[in-house]
Amino acid sequence: MPGPMEAASSRDLKREMRVSIRRAGDSTMLPESNLWRMYVELRSRGEMDADDLFIRGLKGILERRGYIASPIPVIDPDPNEHKLVDDPYLGELFKAYKRCICSQRTQPAGQLLREIETQLQGH
């Protein structure tokens, strides 16, 4: 039985990825995890703009995290979700990125985000 990500249309997932930046503090779930799951689903469907949407989403959330009073959650709901992607290096980069986010280290997270972007450009 498909879950909510699998049942959603690609169009709906893309729209959710775009608005997730603005709603990053609205839930208890790490917004990067939600973004990652949508990205993995779109990538598995062969959506060509999934990489770009993912990077833009991460950049937007990271920028919001840079604000002093940012109420964005920092608890990782699934420490093994990095294994959902077929590229182990990309998965490890995302795992390290989440670790930085959860410990509120935005500068190293920004460096990892650049590495993620570089890895996806070679994809």
Side-chain angles (χ1 to χ4, degrees):
M1 179 172 186
M5 293 287 175
E6 295 85 10
S9 71
S10 292
R11 182 178 177 189
D12 288 341
L13 289 174
K14 290 176 185 183
R15 183 174 356 146
E16 183 62 31
M17 286 180 84
R18 287 184 191 101
V19 300
S20 65
I21 299 165
R22 292 188 301 272
R23 296 190 301 186
D26 292 352
S27 81
T28 58
M29 183 173 186
L30 191 70
E32 290 85 354
S33 288
N34 194 34
L35 198 63
W36 175 256
R37 290 180 179 276
M38 288 185 280
Y39 167 69
V40 169
E41 180 60 29
L42 288 171
R43 183 176 165 145
S44 74
R45 295 178 186 183
E47 295 291 338
M48 300 303 290
D49 55 349
D51 292 350
D52 184 52
L53 287 167
F54 179 61
I55 293 299
R56 277 193 280 155
L58 286 179
K59 284 180 178 179
I61 295 169
L62 184 62
E63 182 179 328
R64 285 198 54 205
R65 285 189 181 282
Y67 304 141
I68 297 296
S70 178
I72 302 174
V74 292
I75 298 170
D76 186 1
D78 185 358
N80 292 315
E81 71 187 352
H82 64 282
K83 295 178 182 177
L84 295 173
V85 72
D86 57 351
D87 179 347
Y89 184 62
L90 176 61
E92 289 300 318
L93 284 172
F94 184 69
K95 178 181 176 181
Y97 177 84
K98 281 197 321 178
R99 194 174 299 137
C100 287
I101 291 301
C102 291
S103 62
Q104 300 180 0
R105 298 176 61 224
T106 56
Q107 187 172 8
Q111 293 168 337
L112 285 164
L113 180 51
R114 286 188 289 281
E115 283 293 316
I116 291 170
E117 188 171 17
T118 300
Q119 181 69 10
L120 290 178
Q121 288 171 349
H123 174 250

